[in-house]
Amino acid sequence: MAPQRGPRRARITFSDSAAKQLENISSEAEIHALDRALVVISVAPDVGEPIPGDTAGPQLRQYTDEVEAVRVLYFVTALRTVVVVAYIEV
């Protein structure tokens, strides 16, 4: 019998501004905290709260991890296979 796999994860990608923010993170603790948050989002893209705004584009969401002190703004593509991170706060 084949082993059971967990849910398929969405691929994480970064906007240009989020990639620049990522480059400025130098603390290993901050990198670890952000990594944990991104894993949560990749497994369950709907985990974040919707941010009210324009409905013309993709729905911007906010995920906040109070324990790790991480905030991520992101949106999910239509097929729910890619999460685009727009802003990082660690």
Side-chain angles (χ1 to χ4, degrees):
M1 181 182 220
Q4 291 288 342
R5 291 188 174 176
R8 184 176 180 147
R9 292 183 181 185
R11 186 170 53 97
I12 300 287
T13 188
F14 298 92
S15 68
D16 290 342
S17 61
K20 287 179 184 175
Q21 290 175 301
L22 189 60
E23 290 174 3
N24 293 328
I25 297 174
S26 58
S27 162
E28 196 166 317
E30 290 177 337
I31 292 170
H32 177 72
L34 178 60
D35 187 48
R36 288 176 44 103
L38 294 176
V39 167
V40 169
I41 294 169
S42 72
V43 171
D46 289 332
V47 72
E49 299 174 5
I51 296 176
D54 188 5
T55 58
Q59 174 70 56
L60 194 59
R61 304 183 73 82
Q62 170 180 270
Y63 173 74
T64 305
D65 184 330
E66 302 290 334
V67 175
E68 296 285 351
V70 174
R71 180 175 171 233
V72 179
L73 301 182
Y74 67 97
F75 64 90
V76 184
T77 59
L79 296 178
R80 308 188 47 74
T81 57
V82 178
V83 171
V84 179
V85 175
Y87 175 80
I88 301 166
E89 192 174 286
V90 182

